[in-house]
Amino acid sequence: MKKRTSLHIMIDLMILAKEHFFDLLIAIVAGIVSFLSSTSIAVLAAMLIVKSAGLIAMPFAGIVRLMLIFAFLRGVSRYLEQYMNHLVAFKVLRTLRDKVFAAVRRLAPAKIEVSNKGELIAMITADIELIEVFYAHTISPISIAVICVLIYLTAIFIFSPIIALLTLISYFVMGVVLPILFSKWAKDTGSGLRKEIGDLNNIFLDLLRGIIEIMQFAYRDKAVDIVQNSNRSLVKKQARLIGQLALLLALEDLIVVLTTGIIILVGMATGLSRDILLPLSFGIFFSFPAVANVASLGNGLSQSLACGERVLNLLEEEPIIQEITDGINLSLPKGGKDCLIKIDNLSFSYGQQPVLKNFNLEIAQGEFVGIQGESGCGKSTLLKLIMYFLPADTGSISISGHPVRTINTQSLWNNISYMTQSTEFFEGTIRDNLLIAKPDATDDELITALKRASVLEFVEHLEHGLDTTLTELGDNFSAGEKQRLGLARCFLEDAKIMLLDEPTSNL
């Protein structure tokens, strides 16, 4: 996995949002108006106090009118800022989901075979949602803080250069030093937390699939222990992040209070008049929220960047097998006894674990071949190698005289009907799930396929026949019924080559 610095992750994520620059610009302008209005209200409130003390001649009603105007601007601009930030975030997240699904499709099926499926689910769902923190609460807050700080310092400098310098130091500590320190502190915790959430998802997937076995074989206590141990570790990391956030917020408040107190003392020591010092102190005190938004990023952003890194790595990951589009298209003969599939000195291993070694096989047109062997000897792997889901270590596989690595991927798959050990179904009707193999199939073709799989009678006795709904994963049918429907789907495709992985294991 490629390791990136936090800065590189943010730059890469911003590149993904470049199409929405104008929306971001609106959010930034609105945010600047919002914070300036908020600070102006505080300054005007101090001026009311000064007015009450008889230190300035400005009309009381004029100050109140200005406060009302800034209050209105604050409300409208704050709403616009939040709306535009989240609009950009949701647009980018929509794009990211499309890109992630496209990446999984590009990397499949090898990626699905070797990956932690719980981690993939976490990436597609929770990780992408957490990246929203970056787009909605990072890009514009940083820009807003920088511009607001420049405006604040310019205004303060007019009245007192030394107070402007002290305020600049406080802004720098809160807006730069704290985020960097807490981001580094929280980075490993955030990455570990995202990994543990993926692992916990995987545990739940396994337990849900095997819930019957858990109940049957009194595995319940062990299963509960597994979940509790994983959850305990997860909670520890979450508690660590919460503790870091609490410390950060306390330090922010401390900086604001100390800065305001020091400024009052310095103002008094330098002879700054009360009619200027009080509004200036109020303004500085209420100017910190813009900077505090950046300071808080150090903790919350750690998880968002950890998610961003995982998603970016997935988007950049190279597939184990590249889809072939510049090869040849298969044109298989309709008859004859010529060699259709030839496997020559094929070897393959998963990492350091050999599965096939110098395997040879020839299958002629029209020939039925059954391969037997103990579990783990490579029967399923052999079919995946023929489908070119995985690359052979050595040796070759040829279809009708053409090495599979030279055949266009879609052409290869269109000429082979492949049924895996576990037939997968999707929510929809029986008809919908059969039409996956041949979208334009007629009802007569569907009936013929069902008949060949010896499942027609079963379907005809269902109340809605072909329009009977299958639940998620087809769990409202038995394993044998699903396997026969899977066979029917293969028969419907009517490919020249059929690869069936334990097609009768549940019959």
Side-chain angles (χ1 to χ4, degrees):
M1 178 180 288
K2 181 180 178 182
K3 297 299 293 181
R4 294 172 167 85
T5 64
S6 296
L7 179 61
H8 286 152
I9 295 172
M10 288 192 284
I11 291 173
D12 289 341
L13 289 174
M14 282 191 287
I15 290 172
L16 291 175
K18 62 184 179 181
E19 298 175 6
H20 310 292
F21 173 78
F22 183 71
D23 291 337
L24 272 174
L25 186 61
I26 294 175
I28 291 169
V29 171
I32 293 168
V33 173
S34 173
F35 281 109
L36 292 179
S37 298
S38 178
T39 307
S40 298
I41 293 171
V43 171
L44 290 167
M47 290 177 68
L48 283 177
I49 298 173
V50 173
K51 169 66 179 176
S52 300
L55 298 177
I56 58 174
M58 188 173 183
F60 187 90
I63 297 174
V64 172
R65 278 195 294 269
L66 284 174
M67 290 180 71
L68 291 174
I69 292 170
F70 282 121
F72 175 77
L73 286 175
R74 163 71 175 175
V76 173
S77 58
R78 181 65 173 169
Y79 171 82
L80 183 60
E81 176 207 353
Q82 292 296 310
Y83 176 82
M84 296 306 297
N85 276 335
H86 286 86
L87 179 65
V88 170
F90 295 143
K91 283 181 177 180
V92 176
L93 295 189
R94 178 189 62 194
T95 303
L96 264 182
R97 288 190 184 96
D98 289 342
K99 288 181 178 292
V100 166
F101 277 112
V104 172
R105 166 67 184 84
R106 175 174 51 84
L107 297 170
K111 179 70 175 178
I112 307 299
E113 292 286 335
V114 301
S115 293
N116 179 325
K117 293 179 177 60
E119 191 169 336
L120 273 178
I121 291 172
M123 190 182 303
I124 294 170
T125 54
D127 280 12
I128 291 180
E129 287 297 324
L130 273 173
I131 293 174
E132 185 260 350
V133 172
F134 174 77
Y135 290 110
H137 307 289
T138 302
I139 300 176
S140 65
I142 291 176
S143 304
I144 291 167
V146 170
I147 296 172
C148 283
V149 161
L150 291 175
I151 294 173
Y152 292 147
L153 290 174
T154 301
I156 297 168
F157 185 84
I158 294 171
F159 298 100
S160 174
I162 189 170
I163 290 179
L165 178 61
L166 291 171
T167 308
L168 172 62
I169 293 172
S170 295
Y171 286 157
F172 182 79
V173 172
M174 180 181 285
V176 179
V177 177
L178 288 184
I180 291 175
L181 291 178
F182 277 83
S183 179
K184 289 182 178 179
W185 188 16
K187 184 174 182 180
D188 290 340
T189 304
S191 299
L193 186 62
R194 299 318 308 162
K195 184 180 185 307
E196 292 214 10
I197 289 174
D199 292 340
L200 187 60
N201 283 343
N202 205 46
I203 289 170
F204 274 117
L205 282 175
D206 286 342
L207 295 180
L208 286 173
R209 290 193 193 102
I211 192 68
I212 294 175
E213 287 78 6
I214 289 172
M215 304 302 292
Q216 179 183 353
F217 297 113
Y219 189 68
R220 186 187 313 175
D221 292 341
K222 179 67 174 176
V224 170
D225 286 342
I226 291 172
V227 173
Q228 286 182 340
N229 289 335
S230 179
N231 195 46
R232 199 173 292 118
S233 176
L234 187 65
V235 169
K236 284 182 180 178
K237 284 186 171 60
Q238 289 174 328
R240 197 176 304 153
L241 281 178
I242 292 171
Q244 293 168 359
L245 178 60
L247 177 60
L248 175 63
L249 294 176
L251 289 174
E252 289 177 11
D253 290 343
L254 181 63
I255 290 172
V256 173
V257 173
L258 284 177
T259 302
T260 306
I262 292 171
I263 283 168
I264 292 173
L265 293 175
V266 170
M268 294 172 63
T270 55
L272 206 61
S273 62
R274 285 176 294 173
D275 59 320
I276 293 176
L277 180 58
L278 187 63
L280 192 62
S281 301
F282 269 52
I284 291 172
F285 184 89
F286 285 97
S287 71
F288 276 98
V291 185
N293 280 350
V294 177
S296 299
L297 295 177
N299 187 275
L301 190 60
S302 62
Q303 285 197 70
S304 184
L305 294 183
C307 296
E309 185 173 34
R310 280 155 52 103
V311 170
L312 288 168
N313 282 337
L314 179 73
L315 296 180
E316 294 177 3
E317 186 174 336
E318 290 297 324
I320 296 174
I321 293 287
Q322 293 283 355
E323 181 173 356
I324 299 168
T325 57
D326 57 353
I328 64 165
N329 289 319
L330 272 180
S331 180
L332 298 180
K334 293 184 178 180
K337 296 292 183 180
D338 294 337
C339 180
L340 188 62
I341 300 176
K342 184 177 181 180
I343 301 171
D344 187 26
N345 289 323
L346 182 69
S347 295
F348 179 82
S349 43
Y350 289 105
Q352 300 299 317
Q353 180 63 42
V355 179
L356 296 168
K357 186 174 182 180
N358 298 327
F359 182 81
N360 293 277
L361 178 67
E362 290 190 11
I363 303 174
Q365 179 90 3
E367 188 176 4
F368 290 81
V369 175
I371 300 176
Q372 293 181 311
E374 61 184 14
S375 297
C377 71
K379 302 184 298 295
S380 299
T381 300
L382 176 62
L383 301 188
K384 292 170 186 174
L385 290 165
I386 294 173
M387 292 293 294
Y388 204 46
F389 290 168
L390 300 169
D393 294 341
T394 58
S396 64
I397 300 174
S398 298
I399 308 290
S400 192
H402 304 289
V404 290
R405 64 179 181 275
T406 66
I407 302 171
N408 287 330
T409 302
Q410 291 302 319
S411 176
L412 177 67
W413 294 351
N414 289 339
N415 281 276
I416 301 177
S417 189
Y418 174 43
M419 179 178 171
T420 61
Q421 287 184 22
S422 56
T423 303
E424 300 294 342
F425 288 97
F426 305 93
E427 285 194 66
T429 64
I430 294 175
R431 185 193 306 276
D432 295 333
N433 277 275
L434 291 177
L435 290 175
I436 290 172
K438 190 177 181 181
D440 59 348
T442 64
D443 279 1
D444 287 341
E445 289 176 306
L446 295 177
I447 289 169
T448 299
L450 292 169
K451 187 175 182 180
R452 291 178 66 187
S454 299
V455 73
L456 177 60
E457 184 177 350
F458 165 74
V459 173
E460 287 179 336
H461 280 83
L462 295 172
E463 182 179 357
H464 300 291
L466 282 167
D467 295 315
T468 301
T469 299
L470 282 84
T471 58
E472 185 180 6
L473 303 179
D475 286 341
N476 55 332
F477 288 160
S478 72
E481 291 160 354
K482 287 192 290 185
Q483 197 158 44
R484 289 187 186 278
L485 290 171
L487 282 169
R489 189 158 60 188
C490 285
F491 292 142
L492 181 63
E493 190 176 14
D494 197 26
K496 297 290 195 308
I497 301 171
M498 294 189 70
L499 303 179
L500 309 177
D501 194 349
E502 298 191 18
T504 59
S505 58
N506 293 307
L507 304 182

